[in-house]
Amino acid sequence: LCAEVEDTTSEYAKEGTDAHTLCEYKVKKMLGIDMQDPTNSLSYYNEEMERCAEEYASYILEIIEEAKQYCKDPLVLIEQRLDFSRYVPDGFGTGDCLIIADKTLHIIDFKYGKGVEVDSEDNPQMMCYALGALNLFDGIYDISEVSMTIFQPRRENVSTFIMKKEDLYSWAETVLAPTAKLAFDGEGEFKAGSHCQFCKVKATCRKRMEYNMEMAKY
């Protein structure tokens, strides 16, 4: 339903983009990767953003050190494009940080927003990103589980959800792929709920209106 509606960018989204740029710089600097300091070009830079980016980089370093207990050469990728189109037509995203190692594949997503706390448990976005990462590295590393973390410092929220690799593949085949096909074909059912919050057509959606009218009866 949203496909034909033009995307708009809010001030919050622009602030989040600046925060992600700073986080990328901090992590790459920590890893010894050369990248120009973007601070002077960031419109929303302040002390809070600096602190959050430093906390994020420190957290990434902790996970890397933990991964080295099981794998002598974990691979760290920043802002990695992830393709999960095997299950979702044209499906792709960008992983903020991937730490690929034997045993555990880590997917870490930085959220700068403070209005809504994001939970990693059964989070479809994170699970799709994990599938995209497995598409690249399963078989190269001996991965048995996937750890998906939401790092949301302005809410003091670090939420981690771990799935066995086999369970993730099972969800992809039995839940994700058939549901995504329905959506891609313009079929399936409209459902209202908390997921409507950031929908581009929520103001004119009949299902949401019916849902709100049912709520109003109480």
Side-chain angles (χ1 to χ4, degrees):
L1 193 62
C2 296
E4 303 304 319
V5 181
E6 183 179 357
D7 286 323
T8 57
T9 301
S10 68
E11 293 301 305
Y12 299 111
K14 293 176 183 176
E15 183 183 46
T17 298
D18 276 4
H20 274 81
T21 300
L22 186 62
C23 283
E24 179 182 7
Y25 168 70
K26 293 291 186 181
V27 175
K28 286 185 174 180
K29 181 181 177 183
M30 177 191 71
L31 295 172
I33 301 171
D34 188 37
M35 178 181 173
Q36 185 175 351
D37 188 340
T39 305
N40 292 333
S41 65
L42 302 178
S43 302
Y44 296 87
Y45 176 81
N46 56 28
E47 289 184 7
E48 183 182 35
M49 187 177 290
E50 174 73 19
R51 174 180 56 78
C52 290
E54 289 282 0
E55 289 176 1
Y56 173 71
S58 296
Y59 181 76
I60 298 297
L61 183 60
E62 288 179 17
I63 300 301
I64 293 171
E65 292 304 313
E66 180 184 310
K68 286 180 179 178
Q69 298 178 21
Y70 307 97
C71 179
K72 65 179 182 179
D73 57 346
L75 177 64
V76 183
L77 298 176
I78 310 300
E79 298 297 320
Q80 174 67 38
R81 180 185 169 92
L82 300 170
D83 185 327
F84 45 89
S85 58
R86 175 179 172 185
Y87 306 101
V88 179
D90 297 338
F92 71 93
T94 302
D96 293 338
C97 181
L98 273 62
I99 302 171
I100 305 99
D102 293 331
K103 185 187 175 190
T104 306
L105 164 65
H106 292 272
I107 314 287
I108 302 163
D109 196 52
F110 178 83
K111 303 288 189 188
Y112 195 58
K114 60 181 179 180
V116 177
E117 185 169 302
V118 184
D119 189 6
S120 65
E121 186 167 354
D122 294 321
N123 185 306
Q125 178 196 7
M126 296 296 287
M127 291 160 74
C128 285
Y129 283 10
L131 289 167
L134 287 172
N135 183 53
L136 291 171
F137 299 106
D138 194 15
I140 300 175
Y141 286 79
D142 186 18
I143 299 167
S144 59
E145 64 181 20
V146 180
S147 174
M148 295 162 277
T149 298
I150 300 288
F151 189 90
Q152 191 177 13
R154 296 169 91 191
R155 290 296 300 256
E156 297 183 353
N157 173 36
V158 180
S159 172
T160 299
F161 179 57
I162 298 175
M163 280 188 84
K164 294 294 184 185
K165 180 178 69 175
E166 292 76 13
D167 293 340
L168 183 63
Y169 278 137
S170 176
W171 172 80
E173 295 286 356
T174 61
V175 178
L176 178 62
T179 308
K181 185 179 186 308
L182 284 175
F184 196 76
D185 293 341
E187 300 173 358
E189 299 177 41
F190 285 94
K191 292 186 179 181
S194 60
H195 54 273
C196 297
Q197 180 170 4
F198 298 108
C199 178
K200 293 185 286 185
V201 296
K202 65 181 180 181
T204 56
C205 175
R206 173 176 291 276
K207 179 58 71 172
R208 186 165 181 266
M209 181 272 291
E210 293 172 353
Y211 174 80
N212 288 335
M213 291 298 290
E214 286 295 320
M215 292 291 289
K217 290 178 182 179
Y218 291 94

